[in-house]
Every structure is written in structure tokens, then in C-alpha cells.
Amino acid sequence: MSSCHMLVILVILSISILSSFPTFQMNNSLPRCMQGITLVPCGNRMFRVSTASIPDKALSGNPFSKQKSITLTKRSMSFTNQNKRTKGDSASIIIKLSIPRIFHGHIIGAKGHRINKLKLDTNTSIRAIPENDEIEIEGRKTDVDKAKTKIEQVVEKNKTLVPPSHFLSLPLSDSSVQHKVENFQNDILSLKLPNIDPSIMNKPTTLHITIGMLNLYRQEDIDGAVKLLKSLDKEINELVGARTLSVKLSGIKIMENDLAQANVLYSEVKDQKDQDVITKLNEFLVPKFTTAGYMKNEDYPLKIHATIINTSHRKTEGNDDENKPYKQNYRKMERKPFSAVQILNKFSNIDFGISRIEEIHISKIGAYDEKGRHRSEGKHKLP
Ligand SMILES: *[C@@H]1O[C@H](CO)[C@@H](O)[C@H](O)[C@H]1NC(C)=O
Ligand SMILES: *[C@@H]1O[C@H](CO)[C@@H](O)[C@H](O)[C@H]1NC(C)=O
Ligand SMILES: *[C@@H]1O[C@H](CO)[C@@H](O)[C@H](O)[C@H]1NC(C)=O
Ligand SMILES: CC(=O)N[C@H]1CO[C@H](CO)[C@@H](O)[C@@H]1O
């Protein structure tokens, strides 16, 4: 047993030794449930020790009680303190990795196949805690490190499989345009066509033009994307110019080639100059967000449109709760198309009017605010 190892044990058990280390800091602002790891100083190095494994006796009644110990939480999982441990160290530690719950299914694998293999291969115990977006790994330090690397590889490899979480949006907030969209949707509903029901109508309050899809699964990604958008303030304003950006929405089209098998019905931005500004915004923003890792590197052309009907929203049991675990929430749903023949015949010349575009939002898919708009994580105000 190395002398440092001895020290770790001594530190855990001895109040007098604990208090003699000046580098030991306190943080009592964390909830108890997040205090999985206690950092214990040993010489000029810090060791992570599972708080649970520290005897209460060693901690109670001294200034370094559990509540006051430094802990690694899901927000601070960057292990800057990756010192090599001496060989033969068999102390068991627990770490909590910040892994968004959307990936937990990939890590667990079908019938737990992948997680079981991970556990066996690395001699660790691994537990998914979807409520906290955490994966907990327990074992010897070297084994835990191995498991951590492997889990991160699974996430990296499977990143392309999960649906986007957010999008860069130009909300069309003009109430008269929204009202016309609502009337149009009601007119369609009154035709009582097969496979058309209120659930597939995009809420008029969410009317928007999409600049690009975002993959922001963790709070730190959301914060980073918001910060990035804010950092581009000046360039965006220069790009848009002094003139107010407003778009005229008119006409309706469907995304599919077969009129009888439509899934998405949308209206288009008519004015070429407005289209050009939006295209420029897209061409400027997409590379920035892609480089930062918030957008997937997908090379599809921008289609400037405002969706009015989308059969993906069709209400099926269990797909409307953003807090449901991965499997229930993201199971593949079958899309039931509708025939757009009658709608296009009847309303092809429809005009929804002009809506000013005042802001660029980072909007969350499937989450809405009290006014029925997409929940905004952050925004840029246009001139
Ligand atoms: C204590 O934890 C809180 C919450 O994670 C954090 O905001 C704060 O900066 C921490 N304080 C210290 C001294 O580490
Ligand atoms: C697996 O890890 C435990 C500690 O978590 C250790 O006691 C045991 O010896 C290890 N087994 C092998 C085969 O390395
Ligand atoms: C339709 O809705 C789905 C699910 O919300 C979304 O992924 C897709 O981008 C939408 N399509 C259009 C064209 O709005
Ligand atoms: C589609 C894809 O890349 N899936 C990968 C998910 O992660 C596992 C483990 O790393 C890979 O084996 C899969 O190929």
C-alpha cells in the first residue's frame, strides 16, 4: 500500500488530518442527492472518494461533513484531476457522468445487452439515472476510467441516431397572420376529410421559419448555443441590414410529391428579397453552430417555409410528454398521410399577409410557453 493511499484512508477517518489540509474547500450549496463524490486531498493531489463509502462517523461533527465536502456533480464532470493511480489500488470509487437521458437507451442496448457487456469488460457496476441525465459508474479507478471512455464512445457514435432537440427559429409573431392561419385550419377541418384532425394542425402561435435544427441535449449545450447566438449579435445585424425583416406568406404547398399522400402542408415566403436575407442568415449561422457541435453536419438545402399541417404531430398515446424516458418518448411512430387534393384545389390562392420577423430564437421542440409559442432558450433581437 502506497503512503498516499494510507493518507487517503487517514484523511477519511481523521478529523485532525482533514483540517490540516489548507487546499480543502467547502461547498454546502448542493442538494444531498448530488453529492456522490467527495474530493479528499492527499499531498498536492486530490482523490475522489464516494461520499457514501465514507463512514458517517468520520464526517459527523466536523467542519467537513458531507454537506460541506466538495462534490463532483453532473455539471462539473470534467475530470481535470486525472492523475495516474498507483498499481494495485483496489479502492472502489463512484463517478457520475453527465449523459443526457436520450442516450441511455443506446448505452443500455437491447435487453441490457450493451450495458451488461460494458460492465463485464470493465469490471464495473454501471447504472443509468435518467431523471438526472446521469450514468453512474462504480469500481476501481482504472476500471471506472475505462468504462467512462467506452460510454463516451457509444454516445459519440450514436449521436446521429437521436432526433434534434431544438431549432434556430424565426418566429412569425404577427397576430393577424396567425389568425388567418387559424381560420384556414378551421376551414380545412370543416371539410371533414379522412386522416385530418386538430392534432396535426400546427398551433398558429408557433408559426415560424426554421433556420436549422439543433442538438442540445444537456443544459451546458443549451447555454453554449445561447451564448454563441448572443456573440454573433453584431454580425447578424450587419447581415440583415437596417431594414425591418418582414415576410409575406402566401400560397400553400405540400412537401411530398404525391398529392394524395401528404404529410406536411406549408406556406411560402413570396418576396425574393426577404428570401435572400433568410438564406444569408442560414448560410451564416449554420456553419457557426455546426462548428460548435450544436448542429449535425447535414447538407440539405434550406427550404424557407412555414408549416401549417404536420402529420408527425398526430396524437398517439405516449408521444406528448417531454419528461418520459427515452423509450416511451421516442419510439418510432407511424405517419398517417392525408390527401391534399381538395385543400389545394380550394385554397391555392390563399394569402396569409405580412408578418414582421423581430427575433431569432433558439426554440425547444415540443415545449411551449404560456402564450403557446415554442419555448425559447435564448434570442437575438433583429433591428
Ligand atoms: C458550489 O456549488 C454551486 C452549485 O453547483 C456553484 O454554483 C458554486 O460556484 C460552488 N461554489 C464553490 C465555492 O465551489
Ligand atoms: C473487480 O473490481 C473489484 C473492485 O471493484 C475488485 O475487488 C476485483 O478484484 C476486480 N476483479 C478483477 C477480476 O479484476
Ligand atoms: C414535422 O414534425 C416533426 C416532429 O415534430 C418534425 O421533426 C419535423 O421537422 C416537422 N416537419 C416540418 C416540415 O415542419
Ligand atoms: C448507428 C451507430 O453508429 N450505432 C452505434 C452506436 O454505438 C454502438 C457502440 O459504440 C456501435 O456499435 C453502434 O454501431
Side-chain angles (χ1 to χ4, degrees), residues 91-366:
S92 192
I93 64 165
I94 298 178
I95 67 164
K96 289 177 193 292
L97 285 185
S98 163
I99 305 280
R101 72 197 71 174
I102 198 167
F103 291 107
H104 290 191
H106 295 279
I107 290 160
I108 293 164
K111 294 182 183 152
H113 182 82
R114 190 169 288 146
I115 199 167
N116 289 338
K117 188 167 181 327
L118 277 170
K119 286 183 201 169
L120 269 179
D121 288 354
T122 59
N123 183 32
T124 55
S125 142
I126 305 171
R127 207 161 65 88
I129 312 167
E131 312 84 79
N132 297 351
D133 292 307
E134 282 173 353
I135 299 282
E136 196 178 84
I137 314 173
E138 181 171 10
R140 290 179 303 194
K141 168 88 173 67
T142 47
D143 294 339
V144 164
D145 281 348
K146 255 188 251 159
K148 175 176 179 271
T149 306
K150 287 194 178 215
I151 287 169
E152 281 166 351
Q153 279 168 1
V154 174
V155 171
E156 199 51 47
K157 276 198 185 165
N158 287 274
K159 252 185 179 168
T160 52
L161 297 180
V162 298
S165 59
H166 292 75
F167 58 100
L168 270 177
S169 167
L170 302 176
L172 302 173
S173 52
D174 186 280
S175 56
S176 105
V177 170
Q178 292 185 358
H179 196 65
K180 282 181 189 154
V181 167
E182 190 171 6
N183 287 343
F184 170 60
Q185 291 175 332
N186 286 333
D187 288 344
I188 294 175
L189 287 170
S190 65
L191 296 175
K192 303 223 178 298
L193 300 168
N195 293 342
I196 292 190
D197 66 71
S199 75
I200 64 171
M201 300 293 168
N202 271 31
K203 295 187 193 84
T205 44
T206 66
L207 201 67
H208 69 274
I209 290 163
T210 302
I211 296 277
M213 305 311 289
L214 294 163
N215 292 69
L216 313 172
Y217 309 111
R218 300 171 299 178
Q219 190 57 44
E220 61 210 74
D221 297 330
I222 296 170
D223 296 343
V226 170
K227 214 168 136 197
L228 175 60
L229 180 63
K230 295 227 182 282
S231 76
L232 303 171
D233 270 359
K234 214 172 133 237
E235 285 148 292
I236 293 171
N237 286 347
E238 273 167 18
L239 218 146
V240 174
R243 90 186 241 280
T244 301
L245 183 58
S246 54
V247 295
K248 180 177 157 67
L249 276 190
S250 64
I252 43 168
K253 285 195 170 168
I254 58 163
M255 288 272 177
E256 295 71 24
N257 296 323
D258 185 353
L259 287 182
Q261 303 280 315
N263 280 308
V264 171
L265 185 138
Y266 63 94
S267 184
E268 283 186 303
V269 172
K270 274 287 130 64
D271 190 88
Q272 188 59 47
K273 263 195 254 142
D274 296 333
Q275 281 195 25
D276 290 346
V277 176
I278 296 171
T279 304
K280 269 200 282 178
L281 274 176
N282 168 274
E283 284 168 355
F284 171 68
L285 291 172
V286 168
K288 298 272 187 212
F289 280 83
T290 306
T291 306
Y294 301 135
M295 268 184 192
K296 274 177 213 164
N297 211 343
E298 283 168 325
D299 202 18
Y300 55 81
L302 173 69
K303 193 172 177 72
I304 301 172
H305 72 278
T307 302
I308 294 174
I309 299 180
N310 182 349
T311 58
S312 294
H313 302 319
R314 204 184 287 285
K315 275 276 174 292
T316 343
E317 209 185 312
N319 73 326
D320 52 355
D321 184 352
E322 63 166 310
N323 294 318
K324 282 218 173 124
Y326 170 79
K327 273 199 176 147
Q328 285 165 45
N329 218 18
Y330 295 97
R331 66 158 180 239
K332 210 179 161 87
M333 279 172 294
E334 217 172 300
R335 264 180 133 179
K336 209 190 284 166
F338 62 92
S339 168
V341 176
Q342 271 198 60
I343 302 169
L344 291 180
N345 280 343
K346 223 172 144 132
F347 302 104
S348 62
N349 293 322
I350 194 158
D351 185 350
F352 298 106
I354 294 171
S355 181
R356 193 177 154 187
I357 297 178
E358 294 168 335
E359 291 165 344
I360 303 175
H361 283 207
I362 292 177
S363 301
K364 180 159 169 61
I365 293 174

Side-chain angles (χ1 to χ4, degrees), residues 54-104:
I54 301 174
D56 270 21
K57 238 193 289 171
L59 292 164
S60 61
N62 72 70
F64 305 101
S65 65
K66 285 180 185 180
Q67 274 68 24
K68 290 184 176 172
S69 55
I70 286 190
T71 58
L72 291 181
T73 69
K74 61 176 180 175
R75 298 279 171 265
S76 56
M77 289 315 297
S78 46
F79 289 102
T80 45
N81 200 12
Q82 284 283 16
N83 296 322
K84 292 246 158 32
R85 303 289 304 264
T86 44
K87 259 198 185 147
D89 190 337
S90 62
S92 192
I93 64 165
I94 298 178
I95 67 164
K96 289 177 193 292
L97 285 185
S98 163
I99 305 280
R101 72 197 71 174
I102 198 167
F103 291 107
H104 290 191

